Amino acid sequence: MTDDRERWALILGASSGMGEATGLALAKAGYKIAGVHLDFRAALTHVEEVKAAIVAAGSEALFINMNAADDEKRAGALAQLDARFDESRAAGRKPYVRIVMHSLAFGSLVPFLAVDPKEAVDRKKMEMTQDVMANSLVYWVQDLWRGGFLGQGSKIYAMTSEGSTRVVPSYGVVSSAKAALESHVRQLAMELARSGIGATANCIRAGVTITPALLKIPESQTMIDITMKRNPTGRMTTPQDVANAILALSGEGTDFINGDIISVDGGEFVTGS
């Protein structure tokens, strides 16, 4: 059967890196884009450029500048999306969220142990990182499911990294969040399958990729140098590689890919350290 519904992609972390590249790739493929991002004055010019590129691709860009881990703001964002859906419904179209991409990169990059307590993780830093980079996925999916935004063929993707199983000195707090994120995806995959709506959830494990988030890691240059030596392709993963993978994985006939961690890294992960 031909799917004649109006396809939307909801991208959490839409203004840079993998979220930006994926939004543009999906726009070119006919998806309308709802983008959630948190940017301040200096970065807003680039946000407008991203939106303009989506529109130039023949799509629509509904962007909301907000803290994606805030419960009230999440409710407000989904109310805006639902109001936009009402316009489509009034015109006889059937909108739904085909793709959800969780690409939030906002966490504490500090060690667990430091002589000065201010230089180490504390409860506030740990819980904030876990909430933004892992737990927020669950709350967004809950509200999307309850609100009827998801449907047959909906795909949920959460961006993880090999840091979920490997150690980088300043990455421990984020590493624990990535491990939790992978666990959340497995649970969501099972519960969505049992709910009968035909939605799936998977993790995308990208290789080391030059993004604003990577460059904030104190050891980023060492990570880049090591990656260039061990990736069998001789290059690093790019945001476009991730975008291409998500577009391909969201095609028809992929509904049995569920609850997995899918590497997009040219073989980097399997080569070891």
Side-chain angles (χ1 to χ4, degrees):
M1 295 177 62
T2 300
D3 186 355
D4 61 354
R5 294 173 293 176
E6 182 178 275
R7 295 185 175 193
W8 283 76
L10 172 62
I11 299 179
L12 309 178
S15 62
S16 65
M18 299 173 192
E20 175 186 348
T22 302
L24 184 55
L26 294 174
K28 291 176 179 177
Y31 288 81
K32 297 183 183 298
I33 308 300
V36 172
H37 62 103
L38 182 61
D39 289 288
F40 302 102
R41 184 174 301 173
L44 291 179
T45 298
H46 182 65
V47 173
E48 292 304 315
E49 293 171 349
V50 174
K51 292 166 61 178
I54 290 171
V55 172
S59 183
E60 179 178 342
L62 173 63
F63 270 47
I64 303 170
N65 193 5
M66 57 171 276
N67 175 4
D70 184 289
D71 293 340
E72 291 185 3
K73 288 182 169 45
R74 182 179 67 253
L78 291 176
Q80 288 188 54
L81 183 59
D82 196 39
R84 174 60 189 82
F85 277 20
D86 281 342
E87 296 177 12
S88 291
R89 296 182 189 111
R93 298 188 295 273
K94 295 177 282 187
Y96 79 119
V97 176
R98 169 79 174 186
I99 293 173
V100 180
M101 181 185 185
H102 185 279
S103 185
L104 300 178
F106 187 80
S108 292
L109 295 165
V110 293
F112 285 5
L113 302 178
V115 174
D116 183 350
K118 295 179 181 179
E119 296 178 359
V121 69
D122 56 26
R123 185 183 302 277
K124 183 178 180 181
K125 293 173 183 173
M126 181 74 80
E127 292 181 352
M128 178 275 292
T129 303
Q130 292 279 340
D131 196 45
V132 173
M133 299 190 73
N135 300 345
S136 63
L137 171 70
V138 177
Y139 310 140
W140 276 95
V141 174
Q142 285 176 332
D143 287 353
L144 288 163
W145 179 71
R146 291 171 182 149
F149 292 94
L150 305 178
Q152 181 66 43
S154 289
K155 316 286 185 184
I156 296 161
Y157 301 105
M159 298 307 303
T160 188
S161 74
E162 65 178 272
S164 66
T165 58
R166 293 178 179 167
V167 173
V168 176
S170 65
Y171 199 73
V173 188
V174 177
S175 179
S176 66
K178 292 297 188 183
L181 182 69
E182 293 175 7
S183 178
H184 291 345
V185 165
R186 288 189 291 270
Q187 187 72 21
L188 286 169
M190 180 271 291
E191 294 194 21
L192 286 168
R194 289 182 174 177
S195 76
I197 67 168
T200 61
N202 290 283
C203 284
I204 301 294
R205 182 172 55 208
V208 175
T209 309
I210 295 179
T211 63
L214 173 73
L215 297 178
K216 292 177 182 178
I217 301 173
E219 300 85 4
S220 60
Q221 188 57 54
T222 299
M223 295 170 67
I224 291 169
D225 294 342
I226 292 172
T227 298
M228 289 299 294
K229 292 178 181 178
R230 75 182 179 103
N231 193 306
T233 68
R235 69 169 178 87
M236 297 178 66
T237 307
T238 68
Q240 192 61 48
D241 293 323
V242 173
N244 293 343
I246 287 177
L247 180 59
L249 289 165
S250 301
E252 300 301 328
T254 60
D255 293 347
F256 241 52
I257 302 173
N258 195 29
D260 210 346
I261 299 173
I262 302 166
S263 291
V264 181
D265 64 1
E268 180 181 313
F269 182 77
V270 297
T271 64
S273 61

